Amino acid sequence: MKGRYLMDTAPGEAKGTWTVPAVECPSRTVVEVLANKWALYVLGALRQQPRPLRFNQLGRTLPGITQKMLTQTLRTLERDGLVTRTVYPTVPPRVEYGLTPLGHEAGLLTVAIGEWALAHVDHILTARQAFDAQAGTEPRPVG
Amino acid sequence: MKGRYLMDTAPGEAKGTWTVPAVECPSRTVVEVLANKWALYVLGALRQQPRPLRFNQLGRTLPGITQKMLTQTLRTLERDGLVTRTVYPTVPPRVEYGLTPLGHEAGLLTVAIGEWALAHVDHILTARQAFDAQAGTEPRPVG
DNA sequence: CTGGATCCGAGACGATACTG
DNA sequence: CAGTATCGTCTCGGATCCAG
């Protein structure tokens, strides 16, 4: 690594000049982990919790998720060091999931997306209707 | 809409209490538009531009994207009112893509994700290696 | 230059059944 | 409770060819 992957930003260049990284840039794999419905929601859900949650407990805060996707998503996030998995050797088994400091940061971003979506959903729904209405009636320019 | 979809937050509840919305909540569809590799990158790329870009121009800032995915992603974002599409009736055709105010906001979020990924990719790569190394050697508890 | 149309493989995702 | 295993579906996304 060491920043040579990002599209060659000249040394004197202004700050805030993030650009989409090259295909080979590992940061892509990170983005693509986050660019996922369930990863976003899991991080967001955990972020809103004061303390780790058990598997089913967490699942209940994620309407519509299946066991499979919850397991799979948690594995991916655990692998990337965003989620902690703590097993208490009791019977029945008790496993708790929480966020690492890094995951806490990531959760902040995903919660922001969730809140943004909620704040603007009306506006967006309206735009969608307008777009769908005019589609088909008006022929698209160019082609 | 009108806030009845979000998991019934009691009136007196504390702020910052976002939770994952119910399956029927339209805000889900918004999140799921953003929870996409190319949507994230397109919004981020446009956000970093001072002015609208032409189709191929934009494509060049998105390493690895195909024409199909660029078209498809732009349509989706245009439909949601995040991206503007301006056609200049010249020959050859000239089409420019920019962000709406709403898209500009969204782009802020996606750029943040891109920058976060770039900032922590080393840490995450290390975590990944550690996870993969111990996997297989150490049998997983429970399960 | 800016797309549309089509084919196709790979992976996402859901449903269900089973286990320590 | 906390998963794993398997199956089937469906969409994503890449490659290619075509057109105004």
Side-chain angles (χ1 to χ4, degrees), chain B residues 45-74:
Chain B
L46 285 178
R47 162 82 203 208
Q48 303 300 78
Q49 301 297 331
R51 43 161 290 125
L53 258 53
R54 302 182 58 171
F55 185 84
N56 282 346
Q57 214 174 0
L58 175 57
R60 263 175 259 121
T61 72
L62 293 160
I65 201 170
T66 61
Q67 280 193 349
K68 174 185 172 179
M69 293 318 295
L70 183 52
T71 301
Q72 181 177 310
T73 306
L74 285 170

Side-chain angles (χ1 to χ4, degrees), chain A:
Chain A
M1 267 298 295
K2 276 295 162 283
R4 202 73 314 216
Y5 280 107
L6 199 54
M7 268 205 289
D8 287 333
T9 51
E13 208 163 347
K15 280 298 183 177
T17 312
W18 175 88
T19 61
V20 180
V23 185
E24 315 83 34
C25 178
S27 86
R28 282 240 188 178
T29 68
V30 177
V31 170
E32 282 154 36
V33 163
L34 278 312
N36 171 288
K37 181 172 77 167
W38 291 125
L40 285 180
Y41 284 147
V42 165
L43 286 175
L46 284 178
R47 164 81 203 208
Q48 302 300 78
Q49 300 296 331
R51 43 161 292 125
L53 258 53
R54 304 181 58 169
F55 184 84
N56 283 344
Q57 212 173 1
L58 175 57
R60 263 174 259 123
T61 73
L62 294 160
I65 201 170
T66 61
Q67 279 194 348
K68 175 183 172 179
M69 293 317 295
L70 183 52
T71 301
Q72 182 176 311
T73 305
L74 285 170
R75 283 293 169 279
T76 306
L77 297 176
E78 183 194 1
R79 183 172 109 104
D80 279 10
L82 303 182
V83 157
T84 63
R85 178 177 186 267
T86 315
V87 180
Y88 299 92
T90 63
V91 43
R94 173 193 187 84
V95 185
E96 289 191 344
Y97 292 92
L99 293 179
T100 64
L102 210 56
H104 202 68
E105 273 188 55
L108 190 56
L109 298 175
T110 69
V111 167
I113 289 183
E115 288 176 339
W116 183 89
L118 198 56
H120 299 289
V121 61
D122 285 353
H123 190 298
I124 291 174
L125 250 37
T126 303
R128 240 174 240 185
Q129 289 182 346
F131 185 92
D132 293 348
Q134 121 180 59
T137 74
E138 197 101 9
R140 221 152 217 280
V142 172

Side-chain angles (χ1 to χ4, degrees), chain B residues 13-106:
Chain B
E13 210 162 345
K15 281 294 181 180
T17 312
W18 176 86
T19 60
V20 181
V23 185
E24 316 83 33
C25 179
S27 85
R28 281 241 188 176
T29 68
V30 177
V31 171
E32 281 153 37
V33 164
L34 280 310
N36 171 288
K37 182 173 73 168
W38 292 124
L40 285 181
Y41 283 146
V42 165
L43 286 174
L46 285 178
R47 162 82 203 208
Q48 303 300 78
Q49 301 297 331
R51 43 161 290 125
L53 258 53
R54 302 182 58 171
F55 185 84
N56 282 346
Q57 214 174 0
L58 175 57
R60 263 175 259 121
T61 72
L62 293 160
I65 201 170
T66 61
Q67 280 193 349
K68 174 185 172 179
M69 293 318 295
L70 183 52
T71 301
Q72 181 177 310
T73 306
L74 285 170
R75 284 292 169 279
T76 306
L77 296 176
E78 184 195 359
R79 183 172 110 103
D80 279 10
L82 303 182
V83 158
T84 64
R85 179 177 186 266
T86 314
V87 180
Y88 299 93
T90 64
V91 43
R94 173 194 187 81
V95 185
E96 289 191 345
Y97 294 91
L99 292 179
T100 64
L102 209 55
H104 202 68
E105 273 188 54

